[in-house]
Short mmCIF file of all heavy atoms in Angstrom, two decimals:
data_model
loop_
_atom_site.label_atom_id
_atom_site.label_comp_id
_atom_site.label_asym_id
_atom_site.label_seq_id
_atom_site.Cartn_x
_atom_site.Cartn_y
_atom_site.Cartn_z
N GLY A 1 -222.30 -3.14 -8.53
CA GLY A 1 -221.35 -4.22 -8.37
C GLY A 1 -220.52 -4.19 -7.11
O GLY A 1 -219.67 -5.07 -6.92
N ALA A 2 -220.74 -3.22 -6.23
CA ALA A 2 -220.00 -3.21 -4.96
C ALA A 2 -220.45 -4.40 -4.10
O ALA A 2 -221.63 -4.77 -4.10
CB ALA A 2 -220.24 -1.90 -4.22
N VAL A 3 -219.51 -4.98 -3.38
CA VAL A 3 -219.79 -6.14 -2.52
C VAL A 3 -219.26 -5.80 -1.13
O VAL A 3 -218.06 -5.74 -0.91
CB VAL A 3 -219.13 -7.42 -3.07
CG1 VAL A 3 -219.42 -8.59 -2.15
CG2 VAL A 3 -219.63 -7.71 -4.48
N LEU A 4 -220.19 -5.61 -0.19
CA LEU A 4 -219.83 -5.08 1.12
C LEU A 4 -220.23 -6.04 2.23
O LEU A 4 -221.31 -6.63 2.19
CB LEU A 4 -220.51 -3.73 1.36
CG LEU A 4 -220.36 -2.67 0.27
CD1 LEU A 4 -221.02 -1.37 0.70
CD2 LEU A 4 -218.91 -2.44 -0.10
N SER A 5 -219.36 -6.18 3.21
CA SER A 5 -219.62 -6.92 4.44
C SER A 5 -219.68 -8.43 4.24
O SER A 5 -220.30 -9.14 5.02
CB SER A 5 -220.91 -6.44 5.12
OG SER A 5 -220.96 -6.86 6.46
N THR A 6 -219.00 -8.92 3.23
CA THR A 6 -218.89 -10.37 3.06
C THR A 6 -217.83 -10.93 4.00
O THR A 6 -217.10 -10.20 4.66
CB THR A 6 -218.55 -10.71 1.60
OG1 THR A 6 -217.48 -9.88 1.16
CG2 THR A 6 -219.76 -10.50 0.71
N GLU A 7 -217.75 -12.26 4.08
CA GLU A 7 -216.85 -12.90 5.04
C GLU A 7 -215.39 -12.52 4.80
O GLU A 7 -214.95 -12.35 3.66
CB GLU A 7 -216.99 -14.42 4.94
CG GLU A 7 -218.28 -14.96 5.51
CD GLU A 7 -218.27 -16.47 5.61
OE1 GLU A 7 -217.25 -17.08 5.21
OE2 GLU A 7 -219.27 -17.04 6.09
N PRO A 8 -214.62 -12.41 5.89
CA PRO A 8 -213.19 -12.11 5.76
C PRO A 8 -212.45 -13.21 4.99
O PRO A 8 -212.81 -14.38 5.07
CB PRO A 8 -212.71 -12.05 7.21
CG PRO A 8 -213.93 -11.90 8.03
CD PRO A 8 -215.04 -12.53 7.28
N GLN A 9 -211.43 -12.81 4.27
CA GLN A 9 -210.55 -13.76 3.60
C GLN A 9 -209.40 -14.11 4.55
O GLN A 9 -208.25 -13.78 4.32
CB GLN A 9 -210.05 -13.16 2.29
CG GLN A 9 -211.19 -12.84 1.33
CD GLN A 9 -210.72 -12.14 0.08
OE1 GLN A 9 -210.50 -12.77 -0.96
NE2 GLN A 9 -210.58 -10.84 0.15
N ASP A 10 -209.76 -14.78 5.63
CA ASP A 10 -208.83 -15.08 6.71
C ASP A 10 -209.09 -16.52 7.12
O ASP A 10 -210.21 -16.87 7.52
CB ASP A 10 -209.07 -14.13 7.88
CG ASP A 10 -208.09 -14.31 9.02
OD1 ASP A 10 -207.46 -15.38 9.11
OD2 ASP A 10 -207.97 -13.38 9.85
N LEU A 11 -208.06 -17.36 7.04
CA LEU A 11 -208.23 -18.78 7.37
C LEU A 11 -208.63 -19.00 8.82
O LEU A 11 -209.18 -20.05 9.17
CB LEU A 11 -206.95 -19.54 7.05
CG LEU A 11 -206.57 -19.60 5.57
CD1 LEU A 11 -205.21 -20.29 5.40
CD2 LEU A 11 -207.63 -20.30 4.75
N LYS A 12 -208.38 -18.02 9.68
CA LYS A 12 -208.74 -18.16 11.10
C LYS A 12 -210.21 -17.82 11.34
O LYS A 12 -210.72 -18.07 12.43
CB LYS A 12 -207.86 -17.25 11.96
CG LYS A 12 -206.37 -17.57 11.87
CD LYS A 12 -205.56 -16.74 12.84
CE LYS A 12 -205.66 -15.25 12.56
NZ LYS A 12 -205.16 -14.89 11.22
N PHE A 13 -210.88 -17.23 10.37
CA PHE A 13 -212.28 -16.86 10.57
C PHE A 13 -213.13 -18.11 10.74
O PHE A 13 -213.04 -19.05 9.94
CB PHE A 13 -212.78 -16.05 9.37
CG PHE A 13 -214.20 -15.60 9.50
CD1 PHE A 13 -214.55 -14.61 10.40
CD2 PHE A 13 -215.19 -16.16 8.70
CE1 PHE A 13 -215.86 -14.19 10.52
CE2 PHE A 13 -216.51 -15.74 8.81
CZ PHE A 13 -216.85 -14.76 9.72
N ALA A 14 -213.94 -18.13 11.79
CA ALA A 14 -214.72 -19.32 12.13
C ALA A 14 -216.21 -19.03 12.16
O ALA A 14 -216.96 -19.70 12.88
CB ALA A 14 -214.25 -19.87 13.47
N GLY A 15 -216.63 -18.02 11.41
CA GLY A 15 -218.05 -17.72 11.33
C GLY A 15 -218.58 -16.85 12.44
O GLY A 15 -219.80 -16.70 12.58
N GLU A 16 -217.69 -16.24 13.24
CA GLU A 16 -218.14 -15.40 14.33
C GLU A 16 -218.90 -14.16 13.81
O GLU A 16 -218.71 -13.75 12.68
CB GLU A 16 -216.96 -14.94 15.21
CG GLU A 16 -215.88 -14.16 14.49
CD GLU A 16 -214.74 -15.03 13.98
OE1 GLU A 16 -214.96 -16.25 13.77
OE2 GLU A 16 -213.64 -14.48 13.77
N LYS A 17 -219.76 -13.61 14.66
CA LYS A 17 -220.55 -12.45 14.29
C LYS A 17 -219.67 -11.21 14.27
O LYS A 17 -219.11 -10.81 15.30
CB LYS A 17 -221.70 -12.25 15.29
CG LYS A 17 -222.63 -11.09 14.95
CD LYS A 17 -223.34 -11.32 13.63
CE LYS A 17 -224.28 -10.18 13.31
NZ LYS A 17 -224.91 -10.38 11.98
N THR A 18 -219.54 -10.60 13.11
CA THR A 18 -218.73 -9.40 12.97
C THR A 18 -219.44 -8.42 12.05
O THR A 18 -220.48 -8.74 11.47
CB THR A 18 -217.32 -9.72 12.42
OG1 THR A 18 -217.47 -10.40 11.16
CG2 THR A 18 -216.54 -10.60 13.38
N TYR A 19 -218.83 -7.23 11.88
CA TYR A 19 -219.54 -6.13 11.24
C TYR A 19 -218.65 -5.35 10.26
O TYR A 19 -217.42 -5.43 10.31
CB TYR A 19 -220.07 -5.16 12.30
CG TYR A 19 -221.06 -5.80 13.24
CD1 TYR A 19 -220.61 -6.39 14.43
CD2 TYR A 19 -222.41 -5.83 12.95
CE1 TYR A 19 -221.51 -7.00 15.30
CE2 TYR A 19 -223.32 -6.43 13.82
CZ TYR A 19 -222.86 -7.01 14.98
OH TYR A 19 -223.75 -7.62 15.84
N LEU A 20 -219.34 -4.59 9.41
CA LEU A 20 -218.72 -3.53 8.60
C LEU A 20 -219.49 -2.25 8.90
O LEU A 20 -220.71 -2.20 8.70
CB LEU A 20 -218.81 -3.86 7.11
CG LEU A 20 -218.49 -2.70 6.16
CD1 LEU A 20 -217.00 -2.34 6.23
CD2 LEU A 20 -218.90 -3.02 4.73
N HIS A 21 -218.78 -1.24 9.38
CA HIS A 21 -219.40 0.06 9.67
C HIS A 21 -218.94 1.07 8.63
O HIS A 21 -217.73 1.22 8.40
CB HIS A 21 -219.02 0.54 11.06
CG HIS A 21 -219.62 -0.25 12.17
ND1 HIS A 21 -220.80 0.09 12.77
CD2 HIS A 21 -219.20 -1.39 12.79
CE1 HIS A 21 -221.10 -0.79 13.71
NE2 HIS A 21 -220.13 -1.71 13.74
N ILE A 22 -219.88 1.79 8.04
CA ILE A 22 -219.58 2.86 7.08
C ILE A 22 -220.28 4.12 7.56
O ILE A 22 -221.47 4.10 7.89
CB ILE A 22 -220.04 2.48 5.66
CG1 ILE A 22 -219.28 1.24 5.18
CG2 ILE A 22 -219.82 3.65 4.70
CD1 ILE A 22 -219.77 0.71 3.85
N GLY A 23 -219.55 5.23 7.59
CA GLY A 23 -220.11 6.49 8.07
C GLY A 23 -221.06 7.14 7.10
O GLY A 23 -221.57 6.51 6.16
N ASP A 24 -221.31 8.42 7.29
CA ASP A 24 -222.26 9.18 6.47
C ASP A 24 -221.57 9.79 5.24
O ASP A 24 -220.39 10.13 5.28
CB ASP A 24 -222.87 10.31 7.30
CG ASP A 24 -223.64 9.81 8.51
OD1 ASP A 24 -224.20 8.69 8.43
OD2 ASP A 24 -223.67 10.53 9.52
N ARG A 25 -222.34 9.91 4.18
CA ARG A 25 -221.95 10.64 2.97
C ARG A 25 -220.72 10.06 2.27
O ARG A 25 -220.04 10.74 1.51
CB ARG A 25 -221.71 12.13 3.28
CG ARG A 25 -222.93 12.85 3.82
CD ARG A 25 -222.59 14.26 4.27
NE ARG A 25 -221.55 14.24 5.31
CZ ARG A 25 -221.79 13.99 6.60
NH1 ARG A 25 -223.02 13.76 7.02
NH2 ARG A 25 -220.80 13.97 7.46
N THR A 26 -220.42 8.84 2.53
CA THR A 26 -219.29 8.18 1.87
C THR A 26 -219.74 7.63 0.52
O THR A 26 -220.83 7.09 0.39
CB THR A 26 -218.72 7.08 2.76
OG1 THR A 26 -217.94 7.71 3.79
CG2 THR A 26 -217.85 6.11 2.00
N VAL A 27 -218.88 7.79 -0.49
CA VAL A 27 -219.15 7.32 -1.84
C VAL A 27 -218.29 6.10 -2.12
O VAL A 27 -217.06 6.14 -1.97
CB VAL A 27 -218.86 8.42 -2.88
CG1 VAL A 27 -219.03 7.88 -4.30
CG2 VAL A 27 -219.77 9.62 -2.65
N ILE A 28 -218.93 5.01 -2.49
CA ILE A 28 -218.24 3.76 -2.81
C ILE A 28 -218.55 3.43 -4.26
O ILE A 28 -219.70 3.16 -4.62
CB ILE A 28 -218.69 2.64 -1.86
CG1 ILE A 28 -218.27 2.99 -0.43
CG2 ILE A 28 -218.11 1.30 -2.29
CD1 ILE A 28 -218.75 2.03 0.61
N ARG A 29 -217.53 3.44 -5.10
CA ARG A 29 -217.76 3.29 -6.53
C ARG A 29 -217.80 1.82 -6.95
O ARG A 29 -217.81 0.91 -6.14
CB ARG A 29 -216.69 4.07 -7.30
CG ARG A 29 -216.79 5.60 -7.11
CD ARG A 29 -218.15 6.15 -7.54
NE ARG A 29 -218.42 5.84 -8.92
CZ ARG A 29 -218.18 6.68 -9.94
NH1 ARG A 29 -217.65 7.87 -9.72
NH2 ARG A 29 -218.47 6.31 -11.18
N GLU A 30 -217.81 1.61 -8.26
CA GLU A 30 -218.11 0.30 -8.82
C GLU A 30 -217.12 -0.78 -8.38
O GLU A 30 -215.91 -0.57 -8.35
CB GLU A 30 -218.11 0.38 -10.35
CG GLU A 30 -219.19 1.26 -10.94
CD GLU A 30 -218.87 2.74 -10.92
OE1 GLU A 30 -217.75 3.11 -10.49
OE2 GLU A 30 -219.74 3.54 -11.31
N CYS A 31 -217.68 -1.94 -8.04
CA CYS A 31 -216.91 -3.16 -7.80
C CYS A 31 -215.95 -3.07 -6.63
O CYS A 31 -214.97 -3.85 -6.55
CB CYS A 31 -216.17 -3.59 -9.08
SG CYS A 31 -217.26 -3.88 -10.48
N VAL A 32 -216.19 -2.18 -5.71
CA VAL A 32 -215.42 -2.15 -4.46
C VAL A 32 -215.81 -3.36 -3.60
O VAL A 32 -216.98 -3.74 -3.55
CB VAL A 32 -215.68 -0.84 -3.70
CG1 VAL A 32 -215.15 -0.91 -2.26
CG2 VAL A 32 -215.06 0.33 -4.44
N THR A 33 -214.82 -3.95 -2.92
CA THR A 33 -215.10 -5.05 -1.98
C THR A 33 -214.55 -4.67 -0.61
O THR A 33 -213.38 -4.35 -0.46
CB THR A 33 -214.48 -6.38 -2.45
OG1 THR A 33 -213.07 -6.22 -2.63
CG2 THR A 33 -215.10 -6.81 -3.77
N LEU A 34 -215.42 -4.71 0.39
CA LEU A 34 -215.05 -4.42 1.77
C LEU A 34 -215.50 -5.58 2.64
O LEU A 34 -216.69 -5.84 2.78
CB LEU A 34 -215.73 -3.12 2.26
CG LEU A 34 -215.51 -1.85 1.43
CD1 LEU A 34 -216.33 -0.71 2.01
CD2 LEU A 34 -214.03 -1.48 1.38
N ASN A 35 -214.54 -6.31 3.19
CA ASN A 35 -214.88 -7.44 4.06
C ASN A 35 -215.18 -6.97 5.48
O ASN A 35 -214.64 -5.97 5.93
CB ASN A 35 -213.72 -8.44 4.12
CG ASN A 35 -213.45 -9.12 2.80
OD1 ASN A 35 -212.34 -9.59 2.58
ND2 ASN A 35 -214.42 -9.19 1.91
N ARG A 36 -216.03 -7.72 6.17
CA ARG A 36 -216.27 -7.38 7.57
C ARG A 36 -215.12 -7.90 8.43
O ARG A 36 -214.19 -8.55 7.94
CB ARG A 36 -217.62 -7.93 8.03
CG ARG A 36 -217.79 -9.43 8.03
CD ARG A 36 -219.20 -9.78 8.50
NE ARG A 36 -219.42 -11.21 8.61
CZ ARG A 36 -219.93 -11.97 7.65
NH1 ARG A 36 -220.30 -11.42 6.50
NH2 ARG A 36 -220.10 -13.27 7.84
N GLY A 37 -215.16 -7.61 9.72
CA GLY A 37 -214.06 -7.92 10.61
C GLY A 37 -213.99 -9.38 11.01
O GLY A 37 -214.79 -10.22 10.59
N THR A 38 -213.00 -9.68 11.86
CA THR A 38 -212.85 -10.98 12.50
C THR A 38 -212.93 -10.78 14.01
O THR A 38 -213.09 -9.65 14.49
CB THR A 38 -211.51 -11.63 12.13
OG1 THR A 38 -210.45 -10.87 12.74
CG2 THR A 38 -211.30 -11.68 10.63
N LYS A 39 -212.73 -11.85 14.74
CA LYS A 39 -212.76 -11.73 16.20
C LYS A 39 -211.62 -10.86 16.73
O LYS A 39 -211.66 -10.43 17.89
CB LYS A 39 -212.72 -13.10 16.85
CG LYS A 39 -211.46 -13.89 16.57
CD LYS A 39 -211.54 -15.27 17.22
CE LYS A 39 -210.30 -16.11 16.92
NZ LYS A 39 -210.41 -17.46 17.51
N ALA A 40 -210.63 -10.57 15.91
CA ALA A 40 -209.53 -9.72 16.35
C ALA A 40 -210.02 -8.35 16.81
O ALA A 40 -209.57 -7.82 17.82
CB ALA A 40 -208.50 -9.56 15.24
N SER A 41 -210.95 -7.76 16.06
CA SER A 41 -211.51 -6.47 16.47
C SER A 41 -213.03 -6.45 16.38
O SER A 41 -213.68 -5.56 16.93
CB SER A 41 -210.94 -5.34 15.61
OG SER A 41 -211.47 -5.40 14.28
N GLY A 42 -213.60 -7.38 15.63
CA GLY A 42 -215.05 -7.47 15.49
C GLY A 42 -215.64 -6.65 14.37
O GLY A 42 -216.81 -6.81 14.05
N LYS A 43 -214.83 -5.78 13.74
CA LYS A 43 -215.42 -4.92 12.72
C LYS A 43 -214.35 -4.34 11.79
O LYS A 43 -213.19 -4.16 12.17
CB LYS A 43 -216.20 -3.79 13.36
CG LYS A 43 -215.37 -2.88 14.27
CD LYS A 43 -216.24 -1.89 15.01
CE LYS A 43 -215.39 -1.04 15.97
NZ LYS A 43 -216.22 -0.08 16.73
N THR A 44 -214.79 -4.06 10.60
CA THR A 44 -214.07 -3.22 9.65
C THR A 44 -214.79 -1.87 9.63
O THR A 44 -216.02 -1.83 9.69
CB THR A 44 -214.07 -3.84 8.25
OG1 THR A 44 -213.39 -5.11 8.31
CG2 THR A 44 -213.40 -2.95 7.23
N VAL A 45 -214.03 -0.78 9.56
CA VAL A 45 -214.63 0.55 9.68
C VAL A 45 -214.18 1.45 8.54
O VAL A 45 -212.98 1.52 8.23
CB VAL A 45 -214.25 1.20 11.02
CG1 VAL A 45 -214.84 2.61 11.13
CG2 VAL A 45 -214.70 0.35 12.20
N VAL A 46 -215.14 2.13 7.92
CA VAL A 46 -214.87 3.20 6.96
C VAL A 46 -215.60 4.43 7.47
O VAL A 46 -216.79 4.36 7.82
CB VAL A 46 -215.34 2.84 5.54
CG1 VAL A 46 -215.11 4.01 4.59
CG2 VAL A 46 -214.63 1.59 5.05
#
């Protein structure tokens, strides 16, 4: 049930190409939600 790299919940987001980066050996448990970045930085990072 984890949902990763979906669109940001930001009214300024205009569909630009952005990313979610996750490192090695990280554990993400049930129903976690991680949005990708906006043009402000281009990425969300874990």
Side-chain angles (χ1 to χ4, degrees):
V3 179
L4 309 184
S5 197
T6 47
E7 288 190 359
Q9 299 175 96
D10 184 341
L11 295 175
K12 299 185 298 299
F13 181 71
E16 59 267 24
K17 183 63 179 177
T18 57
Y19 298 91
L20 167 69
H21 290 267
I22 298 174
D24 299 329
R25 299 173 301 279
T26 284
V27 175
I28 295 175
R29 294 301 302 264
E30 296 80 3
C31 302
V32 167
T33 57
L34 305 176
N35 294 157
R36 63 181 184 267
T38 68
K39 63 183 178 182
S41 72
K43 60 187 177 181
T44 298
V45 178
V46 177

